[in-house]
Amino acid sequence: MFLHSNATSHKWAFGAIAELLDNAVDEIQNGATFVLVDKTSNPRDGSPALLIQDDGSGMDPEAMRRCMSFGFSDKKSKSAIGQYGNGFKTSSMRLGADVIVFSRHLDDRLLTQSIGLLSYTFLTRAGHDRIVVPMVDYEFNETSGMLEMSTRFGKEHFMSNLSMLLQWSPYSTESELLKQFDDIGPHGTKVVLYNLWFDDEGNMELDFDTDIQDICLGGNIKEVETIRRSKVNEGHIANRYYYSLRVYLSILYLHIPESFSIILRGQVVEHHSIAKDLKYPECILYRPQSGGCLEGQVITTIGFLKEAPHLNIHGFNVYHKNRLILPFWKVLSTSDSRGRGVVGVLEANFVEPTHNKQDFEKTSLFQKLEVRLKDMTSEYWHCHCTLIGYQSQKRPRAPVDREDSSRCMPHSGKVKPVTLNQAFPAVDSAKAGPPGLHLKRKGHDELVQLEKVKRQAVKRSNDAQRHSETNLTENQLEDSEAAYLMQENRKLHAKCLEHEERKEELNLKLTQLRRELRAVQHESEQLLAELKSLDAIKAEKVVNV
């Protein structure tokens, strides 16, 4: 039940395969040069099986037990993708009922090889109420020059585990088991998943037959056909990664050293950089904060897809420690065309992924990131949408009072008329003073009032003209500011590309130095072995004398 509940944590089969590949990619720092994914077969019944193999450092017996048990992780490096120690079990059980692992390890001149079986079929049919994982280990005996069974747990324990392996694994003899190490080399790991799962319609979930150079999802035929009907969307990775493993693996990692290859069904997977698919790209710096403290910085590359505006695709590809977590994440949902064709790429190491690495934990930092990416999309669209044929959507301006406009239109010369002897109330003749003076005073007041009205009209006219000039100046400033920001973003983008190239060069150099170091260590071991043999010969000569 525990295995079953863990397996259901992966909703997507390709996500489970990616989890297994992460272990091989983490071995790049130990000199790994490839990981291969291929179809193989179960020799017992000929049914399809999935093979994942790498030439990393392999696992010694203790590491193998931690890998096959629950809740352990040896990955202390901050750059390691895996960290929970549960990924192998959950991902393997998601793909099939059973998995067998072969691993060879060379350390301190001690060569070991281990075999472990995690079998849902075995546990259910044997009626076990706990998880039992049969394992056997072999060690190289320098005296005999052969690999022999390890007896650190006793011979009886070894034979009991071997018996369970031969009964429930695809290999019925010990020689067939050991033969699986022939193509591993001096170190590496091979994972064979068999009794693969079927979908609700009775079809095998992993489709090995539609494309002999790919592995597809067989349960998504209707969805695949819908996507393929659209000629514009047909070939784009945003619509193909979900059902094509080759496409998904091409974007799974942000950077891959040239010395390392992902091989799918005999063909190398070409790494695809989404950022290189963008036109009018910009690099935008974001510094997330939490509780007033800076949580690092993120550089997001954002731009239009080359096929825009004909392609209705948008969203951000969010990586974590070089691994793709959210492909084409749609942060903006609008009924209009705003944001159409805008795609971004970023590596967000300040937020933590969920256990299945298909989403992020919904923390406050993640929510802030989502808000920032929404704003980023809107800002980019506002500044660049005209470059691909859309009309610019101007930001709303402060409304103009229609009454004021009608009273005084700029440069119109129209002033609201004022009627004499009607604009002001009548004056009491008793208080007005002598006759005649009343009329004179009244006319003077009317003239003064008329002059005030004229002044107000001129003032309104000047204010309106200044308002128009201010709007014009603001538009000019916005245009110049946008041009300046575009220029600065182009500079930042160029610097980012330079840093990425430099990083790839350094990674390649580091890999070469590690290879040279391993070669020197190997040569040193050979010299030590020769020295020991010479010492043994000298000792024999002394004894003979």
Side-chain angles (χ1 to χ4, degrees):
M1 293 295 294
F2 185 61
L3 285 179
H4 178 72
S5 61
N6 269 268
T8 57
S9 64
H10 282 282
K11 304 299 182 185
W12 187 36
F14 286 174
I17 294 177
E19 187 89 50
L20 295 174
L21 262 64
D22 290 342
N23 295 323
V25 172
D26 284 338
E27 285 295 307
I28 293 177
Q29 60 184 347
N30 295 323
T33 62
F34 74 87
V35 58
L36 64 86
V37 183
D38 207 344
K39 173 189 175 183
T40 185
S41 61
N42 184 341
R44 288 189 186 271
D45 56 13
S47 61
L50 181 66
L51 169 68
I52 299 176
Q53 181 176 341
D54 67 72
D55 65 340
S57 60
M59 294 178 283
D60 62 18
E62 284 300 322
M64 176 71 108
R65 277 159 179 77
R66 288 192 291 270
C67 170
M68 305 293 281
S69 302
F70 284 79
F72 292 93
S73 177
D74 289 332
K75 297 174 182 178
K76 307 297 183 183
S77 172
K78 291 183 178 180
S79 61
I81 303 170
Q83 58 179 325
Y84 299 105
N86 204 30
F88 171 79
K89 279 79 67 173
T90 59
S91 56
S92 58
M93 291 294 99
R94 169 61 182 81
L95 297 168
D98 310 294
V99 58
I100 186 168
V101 182
F102 304 87
S103 193
R104 179 176 285 167
H105 180 73
L106 177 63
D107 186 23
D108 296 330
R109 293 178 8 194
L110 177 61
L111 178 65
T112 61
Q113 57 187 37
S114 303
I115 307 172
L117 176 69
L118 185 60
S119 174
Y120 186 76
T121 304
F122 159 56
L123 295 175
T124 53
R125 292 185 181 178
H128 286 286
D129 58 355
R130 61 191 180 92
I131 298 176
V132 178
V133 183
M135 295 187 198
V136 293
D137 306 311
Y138 296 84
E139 294 180 358
F140 183 76
N141 189 325
E142 294 184 357
T143 304
S144 63
M146 298 179 63
L147 281 162
E148 299 177 353
M149 66 177 183
S150 173
T151 57
R152 62 174 182 156
F153 295 112
K155 185 176 181 180
E156 183 179 349
H157 180 272
F158 179 92
M159 298 306 297
S160 173
N161 279 263
L162 179 61
S163 175
M164 285 185 282
L165 283 171
L166 298 180
Q167 182 178 358
W168 297 102
S169 79
Y171 313 101
S172 55
T173 65
E174 185 180 13
S175 60
E176 288 182 5
L177 280 173
L178 296 177
K179 190 177 181 181
Q180 301 305 310
F181 288 96
D182 290 350
D183 59 350
I184 290 181
H187 47 77
T189 301
K190 176 189 289 187
V191 178
V192 179
L193 299 114
Y194 58 104
N195 290 331
L196 302 176
W197 297 122
F198 289 76
D199 60 22
D200 295 336
E201 298 179 359
N203 300 315
M204 183 169 290
E205 188 175 24
L206 297 180
D207 177 12
F208 298 98
D209 301 325
T210 299
D211 189 341
I212 61 173
Q213 295 182 354
D214 199 357
I215 298 176
C216 302
L217 286 186
N220 293 272
I221 301 299
K222 294 181 180 178
E223 183 177 352
V224 170
E225 291 302 322
T226 302
I227 292 173
R228 287 178 176 173
R229 287 194 201 106
S230 174
K231 293 183 180 179
V232 177
N233 293 335
E234 178 182 352
H236 199 271
I237 57 175
N239 289 325
R240 294 175 58 208
Y241 80 87
Y242 191 82
Y243 65 86
S244 169
L245 183 60
R246 180 170 294 276
V247 173
Y248 178 55
L249 296 184
S250 70
I251 61 174
L252 182 59
Y253 301 103
L254 189 59
H255 305 288
I256 287 289
E258 293 184 0
S259 58
F260 186 84
S261 299
I262 300 176
I263 304 171
L264 176 60
R265 305 199 71 177
Q267 299 293 326
V268 175
V269 175
E270 296 294 333
H271 179 255
H272 189 105
S273 174
I274 300 174
K276 294 181 180 179
D277 288 344
L278 307 180
K279 57 184 178 182
Y280 313 118
E282 291 190 359
C283 295
I284 300 176
L285 179 64
Y286 170 54
R287 293 186 175 95
Q289 292 187 4
S290 177
C293 299
L294 190 66
E295 297 290 338
Q297 61 183 27
V298 180
I299 296 178
T300 301
T301 303
I302 187 172
F304 282 111
L305 288 172
K306 294 176 181 178
E307 298 87 351
H310 306 293
L311 200 63
N312 188 19
I313 291 172
H314 64 277
F316 288 85
N317 295 271
V318 188
Y319 290 79
H320 176 80
K321 293 183 179 179
N322 197 45
R323 160 78 137 77
L324 181 61
I325 305 297
L326 288 176
F328 296 96
W329 176 34
K330 295 177 177 60
V331 298
L332 199 65
S333 57
T334 58
S335 57
D336 55 14
S337 60
R338 185 162 52 95
R340 180 186 175 109
V342 178
V343 169
V345 181
L346 65 150
E347 185 176 24
N349 294 335
F350 63 93
V351 286
E352 291 298 327
T354 55
H355 61 281
N356 61 4
K357 298 177 190 171
Q358 297 300 305
D359 202 349
F360 286 98
E361 298 288 349
K362 298 302 185 287
T363 60
S364 59
L365 276 174
F366 179 76
Q367 292 170 355
K368 290 178 181 178
L369 174 64
E370 183 176 8
V371 171
R372 181 65 190 98
L373 294 181
K374 287 181 180 178
D375 294 340
M376 196 181 298
T377 304
S378 299
E379 292 166 3
Y380 181 88
W381 174 265
H382 175 76
C383 294
H384 299 81
C385 63
T386 55
L387 298 176
I388 61 170
Y390 288 102
Q391 291 184 354
S392 176
Q393 299 177 357
K394 297 294 184 182
R395 294 173 182 171
R397 297 176 181 175
V400 180
D401 192 305
R402 291 189 175 183
E403 186 178 356
D404 289 345
S405 300
S406 63
R407 286 178 183 174
C408 180
M409 299 297 292
H411 311 294
S412 66
K414 294 181 180 179
V415 181
K416 185 177 181 180
V418 178
T419 306
L420 294 178
N421 298 326
Q422 295 180 2
F424 309 102
V427 181
D428 189 355
S429 58
K431 299 178 181 179
L437 183 61
H438 168 72
L439 292 175
K440 184 177 179 181
R441 186 174 296 168
K442 182 177 179 182
H444 174 73
D445 291 341
E446 290 174 350
L447 291 173
V448 170
Q449 188 65 25
L450 182 61
E451 186 65 26
K452 287 182 178 179
V453 172
K454 289 181 178 179
R455 288 177 183 175
Q456 289 176 358
V458 173
K459 183 180 179 182
R460 292 191 189 102
S461 177
N462 292 335
D463 289 344
Q465 185 173 0
R466 282 196 298 271
H467 179 71
S468 176
E469 292 174 353
T470 301
N471 286 341
L472 182 61
T473 304
E474 288 178 353
N475 290 338
Q476 291 174 347
L477 287 174
E478 285 184 4
D479 293 341
S480 61
E481 184 179 358
Y484 172 75
L485 288 174
M486 290 174 65
Q487 183 179 2
E488 289 299 313
N489 273 295
R490 279 192 286 270
K491 291 180 181 178
L492 283 173
H493 182 66
K495 288 182 179 179
C496 288
L497 292 177
E498 291 178 3
H499 288 310
E500 288 180 359
E501 291 176 358
R502 179 60 177 163
K503 182 179 179 180
E504 290 179 359
E505 291 176 0
L506 291 174
N507 285 335
L508 180 60
K509 186 174 181 180
L510 180 62
T511 303
Q512 291 174 345
L513 290 174
R514 282 176 174 157
R515 282 182 176 177
E516 293 175 3
L517 179 61
R518 292 169 69 89
V520 171
Q521 289 176 342
H522 182 66
E523 185 178 357
S524 175
E525 292 172 358
Q526 288 181 336
L527 292 174
L528 286 173
E530 292 178 2
L531 181 61
K532 281 189 176 182
S533 62
L534 290 174
D535 290 340
I537 294 173
K538 289 180 180 179
E540 289 179 0
K541 289 182 178 179
V542 170
V543 171
N544 292 333
V545 172

